[in-house]
Every structure is written in C-alpha cells, then in structure tokens.
Amino acid sequence: MLFDLRAPGRKRAVQAVYVVLAVVLIGGTILFGVGTNGPGLFSSDNGSSNSTSLTDQNKDRLDQLTKRVRANPRDAESWGSIASLRFASGTELIPATATTPPADAKAEFQKAADAWAKYVALKPDPISIQVATRMATAFSPENLNRPSDWADAQGLATQAQEDKAQKEGTKVPVDTYIALLQAQYAAKRSDRVTDATVAKLRELTPKSQTAALNATIALAKNPNDTKAQAALQKATGAGTAPGGTVTLPDEPTGTTTPAPSGSK
C-alpha cells in the first residue's frame, strides 16, 4: 500500500502503520483508527463521494440537536453529538489535495470544540469513545493545533476505551496508547505522565519487538526523527518508494504468526 506524505496527517498515519505492522509481526491484536468505531487520529472520515448528502444530513441533524440543547442545556448526549457532527462537517470541507484545512473547516472544528467543552463539563458517563477520538483529531497539529486539548481528549478516549475493554474482557489496542503518547509529548506533559504511557506500551509489547517499540516512542516524541523513522522501517520491513511515498508490505515478514484477519 502507498501513503502520500504530502496529504494532511499522512506522516503521522505512516508512523502509526509502521507500529501496527511491528506489533502484527508478533501476533498482537491491533486496530487502526485508535481503536474506535469512529475516525481516529490518523483518518479524516472525509467521504467525498457522497459529501453533498452527508452535508445535508448533518445540517438537518444539527438543527434538531440545537433545538434540544436550547430546550435542555444539560443534555450531554446532544452536546456530544453536536461536537461529532461539527467535526464531520469540517472534514467534508477539506479538499482531497489540501495540505492544511481551509478556514471554513477550522471554523467547524472550533464549533465542535465549543460543543465538546459543554459536553465534558457535564461529565457524561461513559464518555463517548467516538466523540473523544474525533475531538482529539480536531485538536491535533494538522487541524486546530491545540496540544493540551489534544492530550486531554485523547486521554479521555483512552480511559473510555480501557473501561469498555474491562467490561467486555477485551484488550485495548496498542495504537491507542501510541496516539496518547504522541499527544502527551506534544502537550509537554510531565515525565511522570508520559513514563506511565511508555510503561503501558512496554507491558503490551514482547521483548522481541523492543527495537520497533523504541523507535515508535522516539517518533511519538519527535515525528521528524529520521533515525527513528529508519529504525522503524527496518523493524517492520517497510521501504521508501520514489516520489515521496512509503511502500509497506502487504503481509508482515520475519514471523510465522499470521496477521489478524480484521479489526474488532
């Protein structure tokens, strides 16, 4: 598969895929999209093929939800839905060839952020994993570039995912913690906070993949670390193709453990 590094957020997407491959090599259970049913840190959820109908549907739904919160400002679920739909509307406004979101898309992300603030203030239980993950994307460097809010939203998404996994007797995908660590480093969170996330990653990753994990952690701290990029490419068997794209193998190599057939 090929990933165009010039597209919005693709550099981070490539880093995430490398990590997914690294863990697949040792038979780990990985989900792409930060372990949720909604868009993750590495996807735009931009359905350009039906953007007109999506926009119309979003507008009608937003009108309904706005009426609800006017009647009941403490309706946390509706505030969360507004935040999610505003995010979706923003992604629809990003051209496929854009390297940064245009002003109208950022304006929608800001409206999403306003609704998100009201949602979080009402302390919903449980927090919606999809809404939290979408807002983490909205706050990420590629969009609103608000590192502290990014880390907070990703932290809530991770906690909600952990709670869900505990109830269902499942495991939290490793890339959930990778996304969290990226956000924490960007927000310059304390060593105590980032060390706890790193410790979780080390707990989940077999020692045979220590080199790949070390490169992943280095990239979370500094996405432009070329040595870490090269180390992770080597560990996953990925290569760089001409034209600014990264070519990843269709199947992981160096192991007899089959890759998972699909996501949860």
Side-chain angles (χ1 to χ4, degrees), residues 62 66 78-90 93 103-119 131 135 138-139 144 146:
L62 280 169
T66 299
S78 291
W79 281 119
S81 295
I82 289 172
S84 185
L85 285 172
R86 287 293 186 187
F87 171 84
S89 297
L93 294 170
D104 54 353
K106 286 190 175 182
E108 284 298 304
F109 292 151
Q110 181 55 57
K111 291 176 181 177
D114 294 340
W116 166 254
K118 292 182 172 63
Y119 174 72
V131 175
M135 290 313 304
F139 291 128
L144 293 177
R146 290 162 53 175

Side-chain angles (χ1 to χ4, degrees), residues 65-137:
L65 290 166
T66 299
K67 290 178 182 178
R68 287 187 186 180
V69 295
R70 284 176 179 169
N72 179 16
R74 298 191 60 79
D75 184 345
E77 184 177 354
S78 291
W79 281 119
S81 295
I82 289 172
S84 185
L85 285 172
R86 287 293 186 187
F87 171 84
S89 297
T91 62
E92 290 167 11
L93 294 170
I94 303 176
T97 57
T99 56
T100 58
D104 54 353
K106 286 190 175 182
E108 284 298 304
F109 292 151
Q110 181 55 57
K111 291 176 181 177
D114 294 340
W116 166 254
K118 292 182 172 63
Y119 174 72
V120 172
L122 291 169
K123 299 181 180 180
D125 185 18
I127 285 275
S128 167
I129 298 172
Q130 184 189 67
V131 175
T133 303
R134 287 189 167 196
M135 290 313 304
T137 305

Side-chain angles (χ1 to χ4, degrees), residues 29-32 34-36 158 161-162 165 170-179 201 204 264:
T29 301
I30 301 296
L31 297 179
F32 195 69
V34 201
T36 72
T158 302
Q161 188 75 319
E162 288 176 337
T170 57
K171 293 183 178 180
V172 178
V174 174
D175 55 333
T176 298
Y177 295 105
I178 296 168
L201 281 168
L204 295 172
K264 293 181 181 179

Side-chain angles (χ1 to χ4, degrees), residues 19 22-23 178 181 185 198 201-202 205-222 225 227-229 231-232 235:
V19 177
V23 185
I178 296 168
L181 188 61
Y185 277 135
V198 168
L201 281 168
R202 295 198 183 283
T205 306
K207 293 186 182 300
S208 61
Q209 291 299 323
T210 297
L213 178 60
N214 289 341
T216 299
I217 293 168
L219 280 174
K221 193 169 187 176
N222 177 13
D225 186 335
K227 289 184 178 180
Q229 291 171 4
L232 195 50

Side-chain angles (χ1 to χ4, degrees), residues 32-54:
F32 195 69
V34 201
T36 72
N37 293 326
L41 178 63
F42 312 112
S43 64
S44 64
D45 193 35
N46 190 353
S48 56
S49 62
N50 60 346
S51 59
T52 300
S53 61
L54 278 174

